[in-house]
Amino acid sequence: MPPSWRLARNNLLGRRGRTFLVLGAAVIACALIASISSAIASAHATMELALARFLGRSEARIVHQFDGRFDQALLGTVRGWPEVEEAMGYLSTTLTLARPEERATGGPDDAMTVLAIGTEFDLLPGFRELELSAGELPEARHEIVVDTPTAERLEVGVGDRLVLRQPGESIGLVVAAVHPRPYVGFLQQPTIWADRGLVGEAADLPGRLSSIMIRLADEHDVEAFCARHLDEVPQTLALEPAERVRAGFDRQLFATRLGLIIGSLLTFLSAAFIIVIGMTTGVIEQQRELAMIRAVGGTRGQLVRAQLWTGLIVGAAGLSIGLPLGLGIAAALVRYFHDLLPAGLAVSRLGVVLTIAGSLAAGVVGAIYPSWLAGRVTPLEAMTRPARPVRARSIALCIVFAALCLLLGTGLALSGTEDFRFWSYLTVGLPLTFLAYFLLAVPVLVLLIVILHRPLALVLRLPPDLVRGSLLSRPFRHGFTAAALTVGLAIFVDSWTVDQSVMSGWIDRIRFADALAGGVPGLTPKQQRAIAELPFVEDVCPISHTQVRTIDEQVFGIEGVSPPYVQVFGFEPSVFFRMNNIDWLQGDPEAAIPRLETGDAILVADRFLVAHDVGLGDAITLGEGRVQREFEIVGVVSAAGLDIATYLFGIRSAYMEVAISAVFMDFDAAAELFNNPIARLLQVNLNDDVTDEEAERRVLAAAPGIIFFSARWIRDTIEEISDSVLALNSAASLLALLLASLAVATIIVANIRSRRFEYGVLRAVGGHRGLLLRLVLAEGVFIGLTGAIVGGVMGLHFAALDVMFLRDLAGLPIALDVPPRPILLAGAVLLAMTLLAAAPGGIGLLRRTPSALIAAGRNA
């Protein structure tokens, strides 16, 4: 057995109390990385699952611009594109669904026209998590899924038989599952999902598709993909981003992936520093022991190798216990929040790699410092253990070096291209910034001692010079202990701030009216006023619809294919833009809205971009017969929220049909020009105090004969997803704060143990037992305050940079949104946990006599 190995073993076994404390810090630090990274990964997996159920996993789609069909051979072409991970074709059409003859009553409820969506059920879970209230996805060709309106109208459930009526022999079907879907009246058709080949056979559309959903491999830009392959699809088809991309949900998923990477690396750095501090806590004691070995013939190389073996053993032991412990903690957290985490536990591979690397590397690095100290002085100097006061120069050098690290780390995050800035920040800037704050904890501690030692001494009934001298005698040890405390708080502040910034920016972007009211042929001015005057109605915006010609030119679509018509929607600009969040692709809303209200300007939908001859600032003439007027295009708009609504309400085909040629003008101008004040729809914002059921009852009583339905459930679903992610990340952040504090608690206890000689001398010269406890608590207050201040500032610094990268890389329109209350509460928790960690060590001193403390200190 090599001498260095025997030295390492004896070093660990000879001071078992200190060894267990160091091992405890290493175990908890390893558990910190594994648990936090896996908890964040689980939250990300849950968000992906929620969005898959809400809007599907498709990033892009191919749709027929005029509600037609196209050859399914295109599906094979799309699957061959290098960026495509998977593609799936849909065939949508209307079919007649009926009860079988043995269940028919001869009444009108025996059959109904439904929207039949032909799909590939084996591929469907990869594109959309179709929520089922009963049953399972079909496995046989004749099995179908029906939505709630269909099931209620035909009075069927799982296992019941139905038929598709067609010329000749009907096709028998079996209900395999029921999909819960809100019914929104005349705009929506009852829907079934069936095998695509079966739908093609029943509708006499073999080999035809209505749309293709596309899922891309990671790291491909959807907009660039669509632009790159647009010329490879027929002109009547549109290759465009899917709903979740148009709404920005893909960027939110990218943000959570980015957060997983940054959070894992930040946790890795935190745990590594905790292990290093734990390894170097007993530097002076180890220095004396190593000097004794030098005095009896040990070489410097043997001491260095022995210390490296010690660090490696501590790191490996911490890893062997901490990794499964961390995964177990993450599993328990996921189980506790099982309602919010339906995706279950997701083990982060990055977190596992960082746990292994961090524990072993930190153990070795933490062992280098004492071996270097022992090797650079003579045995006699090391054994005398002189008290060397810390010079002001050392503190100044600490500040200068921290400032240089901070400037370089932040500079890398702010210079160069977006990719360079991100990767340089992640690999170099983040560790340098972390190191800067780690070093800054020392001067911050010194400053707090100078300012607050007298008030705190007065509160704790201690001599001020004793408080000041006790802490300033070892500013680096106490400062680095406080720095180890900062890591948990920094993770909490960074996570909370970034999550709140992302969620607030994301939720605000998806905004549309709370409810819609409509009817055939529409709502009269009297009905509009009756609804607007209800006490719980906060805002209404009437929307009219008229189909007119473009005079003397083909503006939208393709000449010879598209009719020379446009769909004119009248609306009240100021009210509409207050109720709905609209993306302005071209034009300026501040200039466009006043122009719209004058009645001689229009907006066009983003899908008008298939046109080749007009753009912003051009004029077109709209009308019919003798009613004509020239309008200037003052904006091109898109509404992600409205696109989501049409998808979820099941009215996408109608929406697609009109959106390609939609123009928007002032409601009064349209009513005057076309002599039609009827509103096709009325957008309604409701007071939060009224329920959907109550609102529907009172609206229908005020305006009989109309249809009213709420869209608040869409907004509630979005908020539920965001709130769940925020709650889960908050729980993970609190877990990080707890684990980091527990790890530092072992370091604080080790610090107290290493100073037993000093405490014994204080008792011997007349200090009573309570003085030692209060002195330990005073040290805990300064360490906790330093950790709270430095950790809070560090977390805000990281959050500001993270928000910047989310804007640049994910394209999220967000700004830094600092939540003061959670941050202050977390700082208070950190201070309380520091005092709790210090209290057991202080209480332990009360049980020892002065002679026992002095003897233990000499033998340490």
Side-chain angles (χ1 to χ4, degrees):
M1 182 181 294
S4 57
W5 168 261
R6 290 198 300 271
L7 287 174
R9 184 191 62 185
N10 293 336
N11 180 39
L12 292 171
L13 296 179
R15 297 289 184 270
R16 296 186 180 183
R18 185 180 62 204
T19 298
F20 283 131
L21 290 174
V22 174
L23 279 175
V27 167
I28 298 175
C30 293
L32 177 67
I33 309 176
S35 60
I36 299 306
S37 59
S38 294
I40 297 174
S42 300
H44 173 71
T46 291
M47 184 172 184
E48 281 199 294
L49 178 63
L51 291 180
R53 290 174 174 174
F54 189 54
L55 290 176
R57 293 189 175 93
S58 304
E59 282 99 8
R61 64 190 177 199
I62 294 176
V63 293
H64 198 291
Q65 297 179 139
F66 309 105
D67 205 26
R69 310 290 184 268
F70 54 92
D71 196 315
Q72 70 178 15
L74 181 60
L75 180 60
T77 301
V78 172
R79 286 173 173 167
W81 291 343
E83 306 93 334
V84 174
E85 181 177 328
E86 186 57 271
M88 182 179 69
Y90 285 105
L91 173 60
S92 300
T93 187
T94 54
L95 296 172
T96 300
L97 189 66
R99 295 172 181 168
E101 292 183 1
E102 61 270 19
R103 293 189 62 235
T105 64
D109 291 337
D110 289 340
M112 63 186 302
T113 299
V114 297
L115 175 65
I117 301 177
T119 186
E120 300 171 70
F121 285 114
D122 57 331
L123 296 180
L124 185 62
F127 286 86
R128 183 186 178 190
E129 293 287 337
L130 192 65
E131 185 181 357
L132 303 177
S133 59
E136 301 289 341
L137 281 180
E139 296 181 355
R141 188 172 187 266
H142 64 281
E143 293 180 335
I144 63 172
V145 177
V146 300
D147 68 355
T148 306
T150 304
E152 292 177 352
R153 170 78 179 275
L154 295 177
E155 299 179 350
V156 294
V158 174
D160 288 338
R161 302 183 64 82
L162 294 168
V163 294
L164 278 178
R165 289 182 181 172
Q166 60 172 0
E169 186 176 354
S170 297
I171 299 175
L173 302 172
V174 175
V175 177
V178 177
H179 167 60
R181 189 165 67 114
Y183 184 62
V184 296
F186 69 97
L187 288 176
Q188 182 190 55
Q189 284 185 284
T191 302
I192 67 169
W193 288 261
D195 178 79
R196 195 178 72 214
L198 184 144
V199 172
E201 175 188 339
D204 196 24
L205 293 170
R208 310 296 288 177
L209 296 177
S210 304
S211 62
I212 295 175
M213 296 295 132
I214 302 170
R215 197 175 69 245
L216 302 181
D218 289 341
E219 313 243 334
H220 283 292
D221 182 83
V222 178
E223 299 283 354
F225 165 80
C226 293
R228 189 160 48 245
H229 293 285
L230 181 61
D231 292 337
E232 300 178 47
V233 302
Q235 289 185 338
T236 54
L237 305 184
L239 172 59
E240 61 186 16
E243 281 84 6
R244 76 172 185 173
V245 177
R246 291 168 62 85
F249 285 91
D250 63 317
R251 295 199 289 272
Q252 170 61 15
L253 284 174
F254 179 81
T256 58
R257 281 196 294 267
L258 205 62
L260 171 61
I261 295 172
I262 294 176
S264 298
L265 287 175
L266 188 58
T267 309
F268 160 72
L269 292 172
S270 304
F273 273 111
I274 289 172
I275 295 175
V276 168
I277 292 299
M279 289 292 298
T280 56
T281 297
V283 168
I284 295 178
E285 290 73 21
Q286 288 178 302
Q287 188 177 348
R288 183 185 180 193
E289 295 171 4
L290 297 176
M292 292 175 63
I293 296 172
R294 287 281 313 282
V296 297
T299 66
R300 292 185 178 183
Q302 288 175 335
L303 297 184
V304 171
R305 288 193 295 273
Q307 286 301 297
L308 293 178
W309 273 115
T310 300
L312 195 60
I313 292 170
V314 170
L319 173 64
S320 62
I321 302 173
L323 180 58
L325 175 63
L327 295 178
I329 292 173
L333 184 67
V334 170
R335 184 177 180 83
Y336 182 79
F337 289 102
H338 64 278
D339 290 338
L340 297 177
L341 286 168
L345 176 66
V347 177
S348 170
R349 287 177 291 182
L350 175 63
V352 172
V353 171
L354 290 178
T355 303
I356 297 171
S359 58
L360 297 180
V364 172
V365 172
I368 290 175
Y369 183 48
S371 62
W372 174 76
L373 281 180
R376 67 187 290 267
V377 298
T378 66
L380 183 60
E381 289 175 329
M383 292 184 66
T384 57
R385 300 176 60 183
R388 298 176 181 175
V390 177
R391 294 178 293 179
R393 180 184 175 187
S394 300
I395 303 296
L397 287 175
C398 188
I399 295 173
V400 171
F401 190 67
L404 290 175
C405 290
L406 200 59
L407 289 173
L408 182 57
T410 305
L412 288 172
L414 299 176
S415 58
T417 63
E418 293 175 356
D419 286 346
F420 173 80
R421 286 191 289 119
F422 175 71
W423 289 111
S424 62
Y425 164 73
L426 206 62
T427 55
V428 180
L430 182 64
L432 282 178
T433 305
F434 196 95
L435 178 60
Y437 281 103
F438 192 82
L439 295 174
L440 283 175
V442 177
V444 170
L445 174 72
V446 172
L447 181 62
L448 288 175
I449 293 170
V450 172
I451 296 174
L452 299 177
H453 77 279
R454 290 188 181 277
L456 185 62
L458 181 63
V459 172
L460 295 178
R461 294 183 292 113
L462 290 169
D465 290 340
L466 178 62
V467 174
R468 187 174 185 273
S470 175
L471 286 160
L472 290 183
S473 64
R474 293 177 177 82
F476 282 92
R477 176 186 292 194
H478 291 115
F480 288 156
T481 302
L485 271 175
T486 65
V487 296
L489 183 61
I491 293 173
F492 179 88
V493 172
D494 179 42
S495 176
W496 249 97
T497 304
V498 171
D499 283 344
Q500 179 151 316
S501 300
V502 170
M503 297 309 176
S504 61
W506 173 37
I507 292 297
D508 288 345
R509 187 174 183 273
I510 308 299
R511 188 176 72 248
F512 45 91
D514 292 337
L516 295 176
V520 180
L523 283 77
T524 65
K526 182 178 179 180
Q527 290 174 315
Q528 297 173 39
R529 288 193 301 271
I531 296 174
E533 291 171 358
L534 291 171
F536 55 85
V537 172
E538 295 184 344
D539 253 331
V540 296
C541 181
I543 299 176
S544 63
H545 172 237
T546 307
Q547 179 174 281
V548 302
R549 289 179 178 270
T550 55
I551 307 301
D552 298 330
E553 58 183 329
Q554 176 76 28
V555 175
F556 298 97
I558 302 166
E559 189 168 1
V561 177
S562 304
Y565 290 105
V566 294
Q567 314 296 325
V568 176
F569 293 92
F571 68 107
E572 295 180 2
S574 297
V575 179
F576 181 82
F577 289 114
R578 185 169 64 243
M579 296 174 66
N580 302 274
N581 192 19
I582 303 299
D583 293 332
W584 288 76
L585 306 182
Q586 297 179 31
D588 178 11
E590 293 183 359
I593 291 175
R595 286 293 315 279
L596 288 167
E597 291 174 342
T598 63
D600 62 353
I602 59 172
L603 303 178
V604 295
D606 58 331
R607 297 177 190 272
F608 101 111
L609 296 177
V610 296
H612 304 292
D613 299 328
V614 295
L616 187 69
D618 289 339
I620 61 174
T621 302
L622 303 177
E624 190 78 45
R626 294 176 296 170
V627 179
Q628 300 179 14
R629 183 178 296 178
E630 186 177 82
F631 296 89
E632 180 186 350
I633 299 175
V634 294
V636 180
V637 296
S638 170
L642 296 179
D643 202 42
I644 291 175
T646 61
Y647 172 81
L648 295 174
F649 282 145
I651 56 175
R652 177 193 289 165
S653 60
Y655 172 71
M656 293 279 294
E657 184 178 354
V658 300
I660 188 64
S661 59
V663 302
F664 306 88
M665 68 172 62
D666 182 75
F667 183 88
D668 293 335
E672 177 188 354
L673 180 62
F674 305 119
N675 191 27
N676 185 4
I678 298 296
R680 174 67 171 169
L681 287 174
L682 190 70
Q683 287 193 322
V684 183
N685 269 359
L686 304 173
N687 188 291
D688 290 338
D689 295 333
V690 67
T691 64
D692 291 343
E693 294 76 13
E694 175 70 9
E696 181 179 9
R697 183 183 64 80
R698 296 181 65 178
V699 166
L700 296 181
I706 69 167
I707 294 175
F708 177 87
F709 51 91
S710 173
R712 289 198 293 194
W713 66 274
I714 302 176
R715 184 187 62 191
D716 292 343
T717 301
I718 296 172
E719 291 179 349
E720 182 181 343
I721 293 173
S722 65
D723 290 344
S724 297
V725 172
L726 183 59
L728 295 169
N729 283 346
S730 298
S733 301
L734 284 172
L735 177 63
L737 183 62
L738 175 63
L739 289 177
S741 299
L742 287 175
V744 176
T746 64
I747 297 173
I748 292 175
V749 172
N751 272 334
I752 294 173
R753 288 172 59 90
S754 69
R755 299 177 62 192
R756 286 174 295 183
F757 181 85
E758 299 173 28
Y759 295 134
V761 171
L762 281 175
R763 288 287 312 280
V765 297
H768 53 82
R769 295 185 178 188
L771 181 141
L772 296 185
L773 176 59
R774 293 197 300 274
L775 182 59
V776 169
L777 292 179
E779 294 173 353
V781 168
F782 280 110
I783 290 173
L785 280 176
T786 303
I789 293 171
V790 177
V793 175
M794 178 167 61
L796 291 176
H797 185 135
F798 286 138
L801 293 178
D802 292 347
V803 167
M804 179 191 70
F805 283 119
L806 291 177
R807 280 199 306 265
D808 293 345
L809 299 178
L812 289 172
I814 60 175
L816 189 67
D817 186 1
V818 179
R821 289 185 180 178
I823 293 175
L824 292 175
L825 179 61
V829 169
L830 178 65
L831 179 59
M833 294 181 69
T834 306
L835 294 177
L836 287 175
I843 294 173
L845 296 175
L846 302 179
R847 301 171 181 170
R848 308 289 291 271
T849 64
S851 58
L853 290 173
I854 292 173
R858 283 176 173 170
N859 296 328

